[in-house]
């Protein structure tokens, strides 16, 4: 198959990366995608970086060998922090896009110069994040909050999502605990006026987070910029899918290393994709 017509690989520890896939499909409607949820090994956020890096290598190799992907989007902040440099050096020919907490856009947008950042322990404790944080810390004050258990709770809430609200009491309680630990939110001096979502799962708790921080606070996630960056990268290497791809333009294949039902529910709820597009795979 010509390179331009091959799928783009997207992966996350679980269903969180579907928030990035949603943005990718809107930005690149002619592309094919293969999404891998490593739910059998989730959550990544509280595991050690070596483990997350090993999973990232195994998934990259699998998506290349079995699905002949033309590019890879690491739709997981924790995996990007743990392994993107290594993947880049072991796959120099593979266009690669990672996600990281959007601190730079937050610095530009914040008026009060107090910015809240929520993410996993793995992301916020990583060398990569520390370097980014240190490069901007003089200009504003960042309030960092590792949200142990929140990605996992969102993962578990997906089946309920199909029948109504995605936000179980557990998700609401964790969000409330972590947001209140960060201090006062609002747009007055001394208050946190910008909240950065440093984990792709948290996008699916947006209504709860919005209710907790109030209407004036800007909430920043990375789906759209990552999708635009993917388009730029594919254009640079001239592998954007042709506008009228023969056959199944825009087709999405969804794979999981864990239980099928949560991925099916999440894909149906958030991307309006039918359950038949989901498949369980073994990937040790
Ligand atoms: N969605 C992932 C992230 O963006 C990780 C969640 C987890 O597995 O802990 O960091």
């Amino acid at each position: 198959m010509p390179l331009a017509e091959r799928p783009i690989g997207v992966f996350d520890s679980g269903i969180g990366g579907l928030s990035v896939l949603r943005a990718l499909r809107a930005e690149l409607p002619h592309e094919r995608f293969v999404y891998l949820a490593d739910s059998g090994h989730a959550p990544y956020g509280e595991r050690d970086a070596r483990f997350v890096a090993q999973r990232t290598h195994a998934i990259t190799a699998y998506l290349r060998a079995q699905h002949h992907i033309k590019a890879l989007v690491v739709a997981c902040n924790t995996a990007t922090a743990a392994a993107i440099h290594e993947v880049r050096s072991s796959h120099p020919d593979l266009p690669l896009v990672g996600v990281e907490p959007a601190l730079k856009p937050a610095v530009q947008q914040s008026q009060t110069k107090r910015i809240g950042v929520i993410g996993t322990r793995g992301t916020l404790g990583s060398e990569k994040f520390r370097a980014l944080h240190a490069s901007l810390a003089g200009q504003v004050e960042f309030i960092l909050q590792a949200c142990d258990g929140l990605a996992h709770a969102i993962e578990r809430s997906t089946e309920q999502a199909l029948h109504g609200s995605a936000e179980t009491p557990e998700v609401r309680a964790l969000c409330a605990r972590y947001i209140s630990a960060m201090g006062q939110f609002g747009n007055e001096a001394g208050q946190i006026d910008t909240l950065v979502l440093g984990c792709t799962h948290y996008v699916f708790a947006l209504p709860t987070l919005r209710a907790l921080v109030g209407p004036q606070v800007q909430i920043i996630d990375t789906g759209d910029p990552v999708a635009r960056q993917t388009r730029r990268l594919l254009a640079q290497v001239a592998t954007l899918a042709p506008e009228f791809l023969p056959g199944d333009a825009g087709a999405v294949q969804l794979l999981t290393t864990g239980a099928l039902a949560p991925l099916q529910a999440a894909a149906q709820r958030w991307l309006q994709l039918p359950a038949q597009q989901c498949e369980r795979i073994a990937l040790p």
Side-chain angles (χ1 to χ4, degrees):
M1 188 191 278
L3 196 55
E5 294 178 21
R6 292 191 196 164
I8 298 170
V10 183
F11 94 91
D12 179 40
S13 64
I15 53 112
L18 291 176
S19 62
V20 178
L21 180 61
R22 189 165 61 183
L24 284 164
R25 290 184 76 213
E27 177 72 26
L28 297 161
H30 302 288
E31 299 290 344
R32 293 190 179 110
F33 295 95
V34 49
Y35 181 89
L36 194 149
D38 195 20
S39 301
H41 302 89
Y44 284 177
E46 291 121 54
R47 310 292 284 261
D48 74 85
R50 219 42 258 153
F51 174 84
V52 176
Q54 275 159 10
R55 293 306 303 158
T56 305
H57 287 301
I59 290 165
T60 307
Y62 167 84
L63 289 172
R64 293 203 82 175
Q66 301 297 321
H67 294 274
H68 311 291
I69 55 169
K70 63 178 176 182
L72 178 66
V73 178
V74 180
C76 174
N77 292 263
T78 314
T80 300
I84 197 121
H85 292 310
E86 292 174 18
V87 174
R88 223 180 272 290
S89 56
S90 37
H91 298 269
D93 56 325
L94 181 69
L96 194 59
V97 181
V99 296
E100 65 180 5
L103 300 198
K104 284 181 204 153
V107 169
Q108 277 155 17
Q109 289 175 38
S110 173
Q111 299 296 315
T112 64
K113 302 295 172 204
R114 279 175 69 76
I115 295 169
V117 185
I118 53 176
T120 68
R121 180 167 295 277
T123 298
L124 301 186
S126 68
E127 272 312 309
K128 194 169 187 302
F129 181 79
R130 254 179 255 160
L132 174 68
H133 180 231
S135 72
L136 299 164
Q139 306 171 42
V140 295
E141 190 180 350
F142 289 106
I143 294 92
L144 309 180
Q145 180 65 51
C147 300
D148 289 358
L150 181 55
H152 194 41
I154 292 170
E155 193 83 21
R156 275 200 300 265
S157 73
T158 44
E159 278 183 87
Q160 270 119 304
L162 204 52
H163 311 292
S165 168
E167 300 181 4
T168 55
E170 188 189 12
V171 170
R172 278 198 292 269
L174 286 169
C175 287
R177 188 204 302 166
Y178 293 129
I179 291 295
S180 74
M182 298 173 84
Q184 282 248 315
F185 282 82
N187 57 4
E188 291 180 13
Q191 295 182 328
I192 302 167
D193 71 349
T194 308
L195 177 67
V196 176
L197 305 187
C199 169
T200 53
H201 278 74
Y202 302 168
V203 177
F204 296 128
L206 205 53
T208 294
L209 292 167
R210 167 60 69 207
L212 288 163
V213 299
Q216 283 102 358
V217 169
Q218 315 175 69
I219 301 183
I220 302 185
D221 88 88
T222 33
D224 292 339
V226 164
R228 287 195 296 272
Q229 169 65 5
T230 306
R231 170 187 280 286
R232 272 194 296 273
L233 206 60
L234 291 176
Q236 256 170 36
V237 294
T239 56
L240 278 166
E243 290 252 320
F244 299 102
L245 192 63
D248 57 349
V252 181
Q253 209 177 344
L254 300 160
L255 311 173
T256 178
T257 59
L260 207 47
L263 179 64
Q264 289 174 325
Q268 230 168 307
R269 160 89 185 187
W270 288 306
L271 281 91
Q272 290 75 51
L273 290 172
Q276 305 88 276
Q277 280 173 235
C278 302
E279 189 188 328
R280 187 174 175 168
I281 57 155
L283 181 60

